[in-house]
């Protein structure tokens, strides 16, 4: 929600305030949801002490991908329902082949914490709610993404979701976690890339202040459009016009 507001405040209003129905969804987003659902099931099975096989993981993906396609999806020129189905199998096969041997500690862990500036101790009067994709032994928080291309080092250092995860983890446990971004790339030859990064106490103080400023802007009703290349992929394009 925070990333959506920062990207386009008007789209945030359409989705979270007006709660407008979406006439369609981007196929790439639906695909990411299905891959994520299969990986979540795989990691939850590991958390329960079981060793799920590839066929079972692919079956989870197939079921979710079928459900995603019940609603209207719009695909890019390079993608289709069938091509993404095949790519999903390829990515998941790769993920299981390279699965980290470290045991998961939590999968899709919900959290709800009051937002406190970790440097000053000031209560900012907010509640942060979210889910941690994956937590591994040794205070390692992992975020999983599917994407068409890799990420640069600068983007990794400014990756907002990882920053918010780290802030939430610190407020929950009193420790700053190590951070890893696992990226399943939909390139011609599928790739799985792992990126590690970290956040300092001052980084997380900055993140907490950003949360506060965004919340104040939302409360004040600042919902303006932010025209960009993303507009052509926006489900609310007609509403915006």
């Amino acid at each position: 929600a925070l990333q959506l507001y920062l990207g386009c405040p008007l789209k945030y209003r359409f989705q979270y305030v007006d709660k407008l129905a979406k006439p369609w969804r981007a196929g790439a987003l639906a695909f990411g949801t299905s891959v994520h659902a299969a990986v979540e099931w795989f990691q939850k099975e590991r958390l329960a002490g079981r060793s799920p096989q590839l066929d079972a993981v692919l079956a989870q993906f197939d079921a979710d991908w079928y459900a995603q396609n019940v609603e209207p999806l719009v695909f890019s020129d390079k993608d289709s329902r069938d091509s993404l189905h095949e790519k999903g199998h390829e990515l998941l096969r790769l993920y299981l082949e390279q699965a980290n041997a470290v045991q998961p500690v939590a999968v899709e862990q919900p959290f709800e914490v009051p937002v406190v500036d970790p440097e000053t101790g000031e209560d900012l009067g907010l509640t942060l709610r979210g889910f941690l994709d994956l937590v591994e032994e040794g205070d390692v928080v992992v975020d999983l993404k599917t994407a068409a291309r890799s990420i640069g080092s600068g983007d990794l250092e400014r990756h907002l979701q990882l920053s918010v995860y780290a802030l939430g983890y610190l407020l929950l446990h009193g420790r700053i976690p190590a951070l890893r971004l696992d990226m399943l790339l939909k390139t011609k030859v599928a790739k799985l890339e792992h990126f590690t990064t970290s956040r300092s106490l001052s980084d997380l103080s900055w993140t907490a202040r950003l949360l506060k400023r965004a919340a104040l802007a939302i409360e004040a009703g600042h919902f303006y459009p932010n025209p960009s290349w993303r507009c052509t992929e926006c489900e609310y394009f007609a509403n915006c016009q």
Side-chain angles (χ1 to χ4, degrees):
L2 174 64
Q3 285 182 309
L4 179 58
Y5 181 78
L6 295 176
C8 181
L10 185 58
K11 184 173 181 178
Y12 176 96
R13 195 195 88 182
F14 289 153
Q15 182 165 328
Y16 289 105
V17 180
D18 300 335
K19 298 183 179 179
L20 300 182
K22 295 181 179 180
W24 52 270
R25 294 180 63 213
L29 293 178
F31 174 76
T33 298
S34 294
V35 171
H36 195 283
V39 170
E40 177 187 341
W41 182 85
F42 169 71
Q43 293 291 4
K44 283 183 175 179
E45 288 291 291
R46 293 183 67 220
L47 185 62
R50 294 184 283 269
S51 301
Q53 299 302 303
L54 176 62
D55 287 350
V57 177
L58 295 182
Q60 294 292 321
F61 170 79
D62 290 347
D64 197 274
W65 185 234
Y66 176 85
Q68 295 291 335
N69 279 270
V70 170
E71 300 293 331
L73 297 181
V74 174
F75 298 99
S76 70
D77 294 340
K78 297 179 181 179
D79 294 330
S80 68
R81 175 177 176 172
D82 291 340
S83 70
L84 287 179
H85 180 263
E86 183 178 340
K87 185 60 69 176
H89 280 217
E90 188 180 355
L91 291 175
L92 290 167
R93 189 175 293 109
L94 182 63
Y95 185 87
L96 264 64
E97 288 173 356
Q98 301 183 20
N100 196 324
V102 178
Q103 184 68 13
V105 174
V107 180
E108 284 298 302
Q109 179 186 23
F111 65 89
E112 182 172 326
V113 290
V115 179
V116 174
D117 185 319
E119 279 194 320
T120 66
E122 179 187 353
D123 187 336
L124 299 182
L126 302 173
T127 300
L128 175 62
R129 303 180 183 90
F131 292 84
L132 299 174
D133 277 8
L134 176 66
V135 182
E136 295 179 343
E137 293 176 349
D139 293 319
V140 180
V141 173
V142 183
D143 185 28
L144 175 70
K145 297 293 184 191
T146 60
R149 61 185 64 86
S150 191
I151 187 172
S153 59
D155 292 331
L156 184 65
E157 293 169 1
R158 292 185 292 271
H159 196 283
L160 182 58
Q161 193 163 0
L162 289 175
S163 297
V164 174
Y165 279 170
L167 176 63
Y169 195 91
L170 171 64
L171 296 176
L172 276 173
H173 302 292
R175 303 184 298 276
I176 299 177
L179 299 169
R180 192 176 81 240
L181 178 64
D182 289 351
M183 294 194 72
L184 284 165
L185 299 177
K186 302 182 294 178
T187 43
K188 187 174 181 179
V189 177
K191 295 179 183 178
L192 171 58
E193 296 184 340
H194 305 282
F195 299 93
T196 58
T197 187
S198 61
R199 297 292 186 270
S200 67
L201 196 65
S202 61
D203 291 334
L204 300 186
S205 173
W206 187 95
T207 301
R209 296 290 173 175
L210 173 61
L211 290 171
K212 179 64 175 179
R213 286 173 172 82
L216 289 172
I218 290 169
E219 290 169 3
H222 295 303
F223 300 119
Y224 51 87
N226 180 19
S228 74
W229 62 268
R230 294 184 178 87
C231 293
T232 57
E233 300 178 356
C234 180
E235 307 92 324
Y236 299 116
F237 182 79
N239 304 90
C240 182
Q241 296 302 300

